Every structure is written in C-alpha cells, then in structure tokens.
Amino acid sequence: MSSFQFIPENEPEEIDSVTLTDNEGRTLECYVENALEAEDGTYILLMPVDIPVVILAWDELSEEEDEDPNVILLEDKVEIQEIFPDARAVLAELDLALSFTAFTLTVKGELPPIEDDGILNLELDTEEQPLDSEELQFLAGFYHKKQKYSVYTPLAPLLFLAKYDLLGQISLVSPDDKQMQPILEELLFDDME
C-alpha cells in the first residue's frame, strides 16, 4: 500500500518525489528517477531520498571456530524494534540519524568514506533467486543482549518499481513479475542515458 499527494496540474513525469506508505503507516520519501507511460497508467522508478541501511546479526560460535562467520540479515520487525535504540545510538555517534521508515531502514547524514576493509560481500539465498550477492559498506557495530549486530548500507542503490494508475493511485509492483521485466529494463536503461 502506498499513498501519494497528487496535484492535478502536474503530469506524472513532472513529479519530483512521492511518499510511499506501508501497511503500518510508516512512510518513505522517494525521488522519481524515471517514468514510462503505458496504457494502464505510468510506471515509475523510485529511489529513497534518505540512505537505506540493513542490520546484520553475527553467529559468534562460528567466529570462534575459525570458520567464516554466519550472518543473518534482520527482517523481523519485532527484533528490529527491540534493537533499534542501540542501532540509533551507535549511528548517532557518526552523525547519522536512523529512521524506521516504510519498506527499509534509512539514515540521514553524510556517510563515512568507503574503505576496502569495510566492504562485505553478502550472498543472499532466497527462494526466487538461489544465490544473489550484494556489496555492503560497514557503518557501525554494537551488541544487544550478548548478540553482535552490524549496520551496513548497500553500495548499489535501492530502487522501487511503482505504478501510477489512471485513478491517481501509486502502488508498488514486484520487479520479479515476468510482465514487468521489459518495463523495468526500459526504465533502468533510460535512467542510465
């Protein structure tokens, strides 16, 4: 679910930003990166205004056994809410303000410079794609109830595909939908030019 402030004299491609809203009422302000007109509405490529971040939990036992440490990408909202104050405090030391926004956590502020030893190559094993890799930049680490956590930001931009329909509503569209692949490719290709 998303909401959008529509001004009738604006055409969809003239809109600079939109606000997405999740089912829990959290919002995420996004820039409109590109738009593509279609018969059933306008498809838009969105990028968050603030910097997306993720929180990882580390398996301490594997570190002690000289193995590669197991890492878990936190997606459980209850667990994120429990550790959120600690994450916000360590990021505040870097002059970064952490927010629990719709669809992702974000920070406001200037990121520290990228250092090679602070880059993590995270391999995500999902049902749709067996092994997907993402590079993340380390921001801060902390402990909560003896569990080690780290906050990272993806090096690749986080993009959302949305549809602005003929009724003036914006809804997120899954980029994994086979019918959306040509639209997504055209939006990405046009955005790169």
Side-chain angles (χ1 to χ4, degrees):
M1 181 178 153
S2 62
S3 67
F4 171 65
Q5 301 299 324
F6 178 66
I7 302 170
E9 61 268 20
N10 286 347
E11 291 296 318
E13 62 272 3
E14 294 176 0
I15 299 166
D16 293 335
S17 65
V18 297
T19 301
L20 298 175
T21 305
D22 67 10
N23 294 333
E24 291 153 16
R26 291 188 301 260
T27 60
L28 178 66
E29 187 73 18
C30 294
Y31 294 119
V32 175
E33 292 294 306
N34 203 354
L36 177 66
E37 296 287 332
E39 289 180 13
D40 57 346
T42 302
Y43 290 90
I44 52 179
L45 190 63
L46 304 173
M47 185 170 73
V49 171
D50 295 325
I51 303 158
V53 296
V54 295
I55 299 177
L56 305 177
W58 296 88
D59 182 359
E60 294 295 316
L61 294 177
S62 62
E63 283 185 31
E64 294 170 4
E65 298 170 2
D66 294 329
E67 297 176 10
D68 288 337
N70 289 328
V71 69
I72 299 167
L73 176 66
L74 289 189
E75 297 178 299
D76 179 41
K77 292 176 185 170
V78 174
E79 187 174 359
I80 292 172
Q81 286 174 333
E82 184 180 328
I83 64 167
F84 188 81
D86 293 337
R88 182 173 33 202
V90 297
L91 289 170
E93 293 174 11
L94 299 172
D95 293 326
L96 296 172
L98 180 64
S99 298
F100 203 147
T101 52
F103 310 111
T104 185
L105 295 171
T106 57
V107 294
K108 288 183 184 187
E110 188 174 330
L111 292 178
I114 297 174
E115 297 177 10
D116 288 340
D117 61 347
I119 302 295
L120 173 68
N121 193 4
L122 182 64
E123 293 182 354
L124 302 172
D125 194 5
T126 63
E127 291 176 13
E128 298 88 24
Q129 297 175 337
L131 210 54
D132 195 17
S133 180
E134 184 169 5
E135 286 191 321
L136 304 171
Q137 176 187 352
F138 176 79
L139 296 178
F142 62 96
Y143 283 86
H144 180 84
K145 295 183 180 177
K146 298 184 180 181
Q147 172 65 54
K148 180 180 176 183
Y149 295 95
S150 297
V151 182
Y152 284 83
T153 184
L155 292 181
L158 176 62
L159 299 172
F160 294 97
L161 178 61
K163 179 182 167 188
Y164 174 76
D165 67 22
L166 301 174
L167 299 174
Q169 299 295 316
I170 288 186
S171 58
L172 288 180
V173 178
S174 172
D176 296 328
D177 182 343
K178 296 279 189 228
Q179 296 175 329
M180 293 298 110
Q181 288 299 318
I183 291 170
L184 182 60
E185 288 171 11
E186 189 165 340
L187 284 167
L188 288 169
F189 180 72
D190 286 350
D191 194 38
M192 292 169 57
E193 291 180 347

